[in-house]
Amino acid sequence: MSASKDDGGRWERHSDILFGGLPYLLLFLSTALSLVHGPPPARGLLTTLGLAALAALWILGTYTLPTGRRSRQPYGMARTAVYFTGLLVLSAALMARDQVFMVFAATGFLQALVLLPTVWALVSVAATSFVVNTVPDGLPRPTTGAVVGYIAAIAFQTVVIGWINLLSSRLNEQHQRRKRTVAELRSALNENAGLHAQLITQAREAGVLDERQRMAGEIHDTLAQGLAGIIRQLEAAEHAEGDREVWRRHLVAAKDLARDSLAEARRSVQALRPEQLESRTLPDALECLIEGWSRGREAKVAFATTGTATPVHAELEATLYRVAQEALANIAKHAEASKVGITLSYMDDVVVLDVLDDGVGFDPTAAEAEAGTSGDHGLGLVAMRRRLGRVAGTLDIESARGEGTAISAAVPVIPQEAGA
């Protein structure tokens, strides 16, 4: 685009220089042709050369110098009128000496098209045509044919050259509009480039923040829970030092938890879904999760699925699985519950996971507000809400001290094929 702009500006500069030198070129050609056509007597030669020099000085003083060579830029109607009047008078005087100076008189036709608006350009063209058609041969004979031919020649020249002037002015207007449009587009592109760069920066920052939040949730859901389970198993092993078989069982369980946590951590870094969902449906994966969680605990867990179990987008299933995992981890750490009920409900437009317990309960608002201020209390609820928010899901928590807890997580139904 910059190359095109430079080429256009260079062409306009060259065109202005050529147009500014055109009167002198036509005057020189006319003078040269006059001398070649037949040298007049010495006195006549000096008169012709003097008029030609006067014409050159007139053009220089009233046209070239005032416009500073910017010959296509108008510089006032009054000064233009003075210039054209002097130009026509000198052209008439030179044509009176030799008809070949009609070549120089054509300057009036050409410059009227550029320097004057349409109406005044027509007047100037008509005046130039009158001079060109009158001075060499004088006024026509007083006959109908001669007068009609004389008037027709002037009218024809005026109309044709005037039409060219109109066409030229329209083309010039279109050119100017195009230049303005290109300038506006260039400005808009520059602004859009800046805005695009800003949006890219914001998107990158948002992506980094989202990835940090995702990793924080994954670490909490995998490493933190896994480490907590390992600690519980090791503590239980300490209390069973006298019973070799129980001690060994707790130690093996701790090793298994460590392996599972390491595998889940690797999958989290790679942004993969939980391993339990790779070869199982969501209901089956939840049953497997509940079975592993119930092992070694006194709390009774009931699991049920309602509606037609339909596979949904992998990220939605992973989100519900992580929510169930976090809810069970919170029950184990805080609820002191004896009964837990989990229901997975498939509806027309949402899939809902409900987790209920009869534990000690808590204040959900205060827990989320104080998240992270005392250990990891409340972090699980924040992680669940963020995880659901990333998939346009919702989380409702109902709990009160001494009245148990009910957690309801809902995600939209997006089939696996639509999300692929």
Side-chain angles (χ1 to χ4, degrees), residues 45-315:
L45 175 61
L46 292 176
T47 303
T48 301
L49 293 177
L51 288 173
L54 180 60
L57 291 174
W58 177 259
I59 297 169
L60 179 66
T62 61
Y63 168 63
T64 302
L65 294 179
T67 59
R69 277 288 184 182
R70 297 181 63 83
S71 56
R72 290 175 183 261
Q73 303 297 325
Y75 60 104
M77 282 299 302
R79 300 180 70 173
T80 304
V82 170
Y83 166 68
F84 265 96
T85 300
L87 182 67
L88 290 179
V89 169
L90 289 168
S91 298
L94 286 168
M95 280 191 294
R97 306 293 300 175
D98 193 338
Q99 292 186 7
V100 77
F101 280 97
M102 281 192 294
V103 175
F104 170 65
T107 302
F109 290 129
L110 299 175
Q111 290 189 326
L113 302 178
V114 177
L115 298 180
L116 294 170
T118 303
V119 174
W120 288 105
L122 289 175
V123 173
S124 299
V125 168
T128 304
S129 180
F130 171 78
V131 170
V132 169
N133 287 277
T134 303
V135 172
D137 300 322
L139 293 172
R141 296 188 306 274
T143 62
T144 302
V147 172
V148 170
Y150 172 75
I151 295 175
I154 295 176
F156 178 77
Q157 289 177 346
T158 303
V159 170
V160 171
I161 297 177
W163 178 82
I164 295 175
N165 170 65
L166 181 62
L167 179 62
S168 174
S169 63
R170 293 292 183 269
L171 292 175
N172 184 61
E173 290 175 3
Q174 291 180 1
H175 175 65
Q176 295 301 324
R177 284 198 299 269
R178 191 177 296 111
K179 287 178 62 178
R180 288 193 297 269
T181 302
V182 170
E184 292 171 359
L185 287 174
R186 185 179 293 111
S187 176
L189 286 174
N190 291 336
E191 293 178 2
N192 287 340
L195 180 60
H196 182 62
Q198 182 179 358
L199 289 176
I200 289 177
T201 301
Q202 292 176 350
R204 186 183 298 112
E205 292 175 351
V208 170
L209 178 61
D210 185 70
E211 182 63 15
R212 287 176 178 173
Q213 291 178 349
R214 185 192 71 81
M215 287 300 301
E218 295 289 350
I219 290 172
H220 184 275
D221 292 342
T222 56
L223 293 181
Q225 293 180 13
L227 290 173
I230 292 171
I231 291 173
R232 284 196 298 271
Q233 294 296 331
L234 293 177
E235 289 176 346
E238 284 183 350
H239 292 98
E241 290 181 354
D243 188 334
R244 183 80 177 176
E245 185 64 26
V246 175
W247 177 83
R248 182 177 180 79
R249 186 169 64 248
H250 287 301
L251 188 61
V252 171
K255 290 181 180 179
D256 291 340
L257 281 172
R259 293 190 185 96
D260 292 343
S261 297
L262 180 59
E264 284 299 308
R266 289 171 176 169
R267 298 180 68 82
S268 297
V269 170
Q270 297 172 5
L272 299 176
R273 63 194 309 209
E275 184 179 5
Q276 291 81 354
L277 290 172
E278 289 294 338
S279 57
R280 300 181 180 91
T281 64
L282 178 59
D284 291 340
L286 289 176
E287 283 188 358
C288 182
L289 172 66
I290 293 168
E291 181 182 351
W293 183 87
S294 302
R295 194 178 299 120
R297 289 189 172 87
E298 297 181 357
K300 296 180 180 180
V301 184
F303 175 69
T305 301
T306 64
T308 303
T310 303
V312 295
H313 188 269
E315 188 172 356

Side-chain angles (χ1 to χ4, degrees), residues 282-283 286 303-313 315-321 323 343-354 388 391-396 407-416:
L282 178 59
L286 289 176
F303 175 69
T305 301
T306 64
T308 303
T310 303
V312 295
H313 188 269
E315 188 172 356
L316 300 176
E317 291 188 342
T319 297
L320 291 177
Y321 182 86
V323 168
T343 304
L344 183 64
S345 303
Y346 286 89
M347 304 179 188
D348 292 337
D349 54 352
V350 292
V351 181
V352 182
L353 175 70
D354 295 305
L388 286 162
V391 295
T394 59
L395 178 67
D396 294 320
I407 292 178
S408 180
V411 296
V413 172
I414 302 176
Q416 288 182 349

